[in-house]
Amino acid sequence: MSASMPGSHSNPSVNSDGGASAPLVAADGRPLKTSLRRALFKNKLRAILLVAPLMLFLLVAFIFPIFSMLTRSVESNEVVTIMPTTSSALQGWDGEGLPDESVYAALAHDLKEGQINRNLGRVASRLNYEYSGMRSTITGTARRIARVESPESWKETLIEAHRNWEDTNVWRVIKRESSGYTLSYYLAAMDMRYDADGSIVRQPENRRVYVDLMIKTLWMSMLITFLCFLLGYPVAFLLASLPMRTSSLLMMLVLLPFWTSLLVRTTTWIAILQSQGILNNMLVALGFIDDQSRLQMIYNEIGTIVAMTHILLPFMILPLYSVMKSISPTYMRAARSMGATGYTAFRRVYFPQTLPGIGAGAILVFILAIGYYITPALVGGESGRFITNFIAYHMQVSLNWGLAAAIASLLLGLVIALYLIYNRLVGSDNLKLG
């Protein structure tokens, strides 16, 4: 047997007789694999705990509201909840002719119960969205039959109370809305509806509102984004080219709108653009227009575009400035030294390097613009309103939350689709905020 050399260490994984290797252990005596697994688990758990508050915030403030909105846009449980007996009785009706006596009796029972529980207004409003006049039909019938007990024919009694109960289309609407879910809100948001036979048709021309308004919102948001780029690019270039002390002072002026209330900025534009406002008075004083030909620049599309361009301009300048500041001036000098003109050097060397900032600023401005509703409501009038103003109207005035949720869902889908197209053509990797 050979002796061990001084200072040498025996291999812990090999027995002295050359047998099977022994398991490696950590300093605490545990197997090395177990210790590594426990250490990795602790690191993952620590990372999860660090991001848990952010994930909880996103869940509560972002994911859950969106899920609730999507659910609200297809949910229609008023009929099946408040008129359960009628909903059940209509399941056996084939949709042809009037229902039989049992359905009318079920309706009378539900109307009486709803009158006692004081919840007929909900189902009346819901059905009124689908068929005009249903609110007065339900509430009026409930009042008339409140004291009627066991007549010879509920069918004749209800028809006598209101003639709409002999209209087959009324019963078709009630049966269609008894499922608990509906596409009616999305159809209305796309200027479509169900006809008397249950087929999907377009709304009459005088009731087509939302599609045209959605298109107008889209192109006006794109125009505002383009104007912000035209105005913001030279400002960002100037800030990036000036000495730090001067650019910092000018940057404070760019950020000044953030320190001013949105309502104050919007109402200021009303004072500037109105017919008797500052700008019109200046044009009259300088002789460009006469006093009888003052320009109408407020409560229309012009007012919305001007005010929103001013409000959203900093969101274009800041990403552009952060990108331009990182571009070394040696690139332009190198291009000039190789014979390029100033315009050629800018177009082929400088401008391509600012595309990440342009993309980031354009996405910020466009998404903010397409979701604005306060400024268009104050300065847009009838022609300068956005689709978001109708979302607010249905949420606060008409209380048609299902239609508001459907319009908002379509708007969300439109924004996501445009982003996917942008990502496919340009690539989100080319975005740069700083």
Side-chain angles (χ1 to χ4, degrees):
M1 178 183 292
S2 59
S4 304
M5 295 295 295
S8 65
H9 301 279
S10 60
N11 189 348
S13 64
V14 181
N15 294 334
S16 58
D17 57 356
S21 60
L24 298 175
V25 295
D28 57 0
R30 295 176 179 175
L32 185 58
K33 288 185 177 181
T34 303
S35 297
L36 288 175
R37 192 180 300 113
R38 289 172 60 89
L40 290 175
F41 175 77
K42 289 181 179 179
N43 289 335
K44 290 181 180 180
L45 182 61
R46 188 181 298 111
I48 292 174
L49 292 177
L50 287 174
V51 301
L54 177 60
M55 296 300 297
L56 182 62
F57 173 79
L58 291 177
L59 181 65
V60 173
F62 185 72
I63 297 177
F64 178 75
I66 290 179
F67 177 78
S68 178
M69 177 187 67
L70 295 175
T71 303
R72 176 81 68 171
S73 65
V74 296
E75 191 178 52
S76 177
N77 56 10
E78 291 87 353
V79 176
V80 70
T81 301
I82 301 174
M83 302 170 62
T85 310
T86 306
S87 300
S88 178
L90 280 174
Q91 298 306 312
W93 180 53
D94 60 1
E96 299 296 331
L98 293 177
D100 55 27
E101 176 67 20
S102 62
V103 177
Y104 280 89
L107 174 63
H109 174 269
D110 287 334
L111 292 180
K112 288 186 176 183
E113 289 293 324
Q115 187 80 347
I116 296 173
N117 298 327
R118 298 182 180 276
N119 56 7
L120 282 179
R122 289 176 51 204
V123 69
S125 298
R126 176 68 192 95
L127 292 175
N128 198 69
Y129 296 147
E130 304 299 322
Y131 197 91
S132 179
M134 285 302 295
R135 183 191 299 274
S136 60
T137 299
I138 291 178
T139 56
T141 303
R143 286 194 301 268
R144 293 187 179 185
I145 69 169
R147 298 182 180 181
V148 177
E149 297 292 342
S150 303
E152 294 183 2
S153 172
W154 276 115
K155 185 174 184 178
E156 295 179 0
T157 303
L158 290 174
I159 292 175
E160 183 180 351
H162 203 289
R163 62 183 181 180
N164 273 353
W165 297 121
E166 60 179 350
D167 187 351
T168 306
N169 295 330
V170 169
W171 292 102
R172 288 171 179 168
V173 169
I174 296 176
K175 181 178 180 179
R176 187 176 68 237
E177 298 303 320
S178 297
S179 64
Y181 296 94
T182 181
L183 292 177
S184 300
Y185 295 128
Y186 280 103
L187 293 178
M190 294 184 290
D191 292 335
M192 305 177 76
R193 61 180 176 88
Y194 287 108
D195 64 1
D197 298 328
S199 302
I200 297 175
V201 297
R202 296 190 67 185
Q203 290 277 17
E205 189 171 354
N206 61 342
R207 300 187 62 182
R208 298 173 191 171
V209 178
Y210 302 113
V211 172
D212 292 340
L213 193 56
M214 186 80 75
I215 296 173
K216 178 188 288 187
T217 301
L218 179 63
W219 83 259
M220 286 183 67
S221 299
M222 290 181 174
L223 178 60
I224 291 169
T225 303
F226 180 70
L227 292 176
C228 286
F229 164 71
L230 288 182
L231 297 174
Y233 196 95
V235 174
F237 180 79
L238 178 64
L239 292 174
S241 303
L242 292 175
M244 181 60 67
R245 184 174 181 178
T246 306
S247 65
S248 298
L249 179 62
L250 295 179
M251 181 60 72
M252 293 180 62
L253 299 178
V254 173
L255 296 176
L256 186 61
F258 286 122
W259 306 333
T260 308
S261 169
L262 175 63
L263 186 61
V264 172
R265 283 178 281 169
T266 303
T267 52
T268 300
W269 278 111
I270 296 177
I272 294 174
L273 298 177
Q274 62 182 333
S275 298
Q276 301 297 325
I278 299 173
L279 185 57
N280 267 299
N281 289 339
M282 290 179 58
L283 294 176
V284 171
L286 295 175
F288 291 106
I289 59 175
D290 56 52
D291 192 59
Q292 305 299 323
S293 303
R294 290 175 176 264
L295 303 178
Q296 182 64 32
M297 296 179 289
I298 201 67
Y299 306 125
N300 52 25
E301 295 179 3
I302 297 176
T304 298
I305 292 172
V306 171
M308 290 187 60
T309 300
H310 167 251
I311 291 171
L312 298 177
L313 186 58
F315 293 97
M316 178 65 74
I317 293 176
L318 294 177
L320 285 172
Y321 170 75
S322 64
V323 172
M324 291 177 177
K325 197 65 178 177
S326 64
I327 299 175
S328 175
T330 56
Y331 295 138
M332 292 289 288
R333 290 197 293 265
R336 296 294 298 272
S337 67
M338 297 181 68
T341 62
Y343 171 75
T344 302
F346 173 82
R347 180 174 60 87
R348 302 191 61 178
V349 177
Y350 189 85
F351 184 79
Q353 296 184 77
T354 62
L355 290 179
I358 296 174
I363 288 181
L364 280 176
V365 173
F366 177 78
I367 292 178
L368 290 173
I370 204 171
Y372 253 61
Y373 76 95
I374 296 178
T375 302
L378 293 176
V379 302
E382 291 294 331
S383 62
R385 290 184 179 179
F386 280 12
I387 190 68
T388 46
N389 296 117
F390 274 86
I391 297 176
Y393 169 79
H394 289 304
M395 289 291 293
Q396 300 171 358
V397 181
S398 71
L399 301 181
N400 191 349
W401 289 11
L403 180 55
I407 298 174
S409 300
L410 292 177
L411 187 62
L412 175 63
L414 176 63
V415 172
I416 293 176
L418 291 175
Y419 175 77
L420 293 177
I421 294 174
Y422 176 88
N423 184 42
R424 184 66 180 270
L425 297 177
V426 179
S428 59
D429 295 339
N430 293 325
L431 294 178
K432 190 174 181 182
L433 293 173

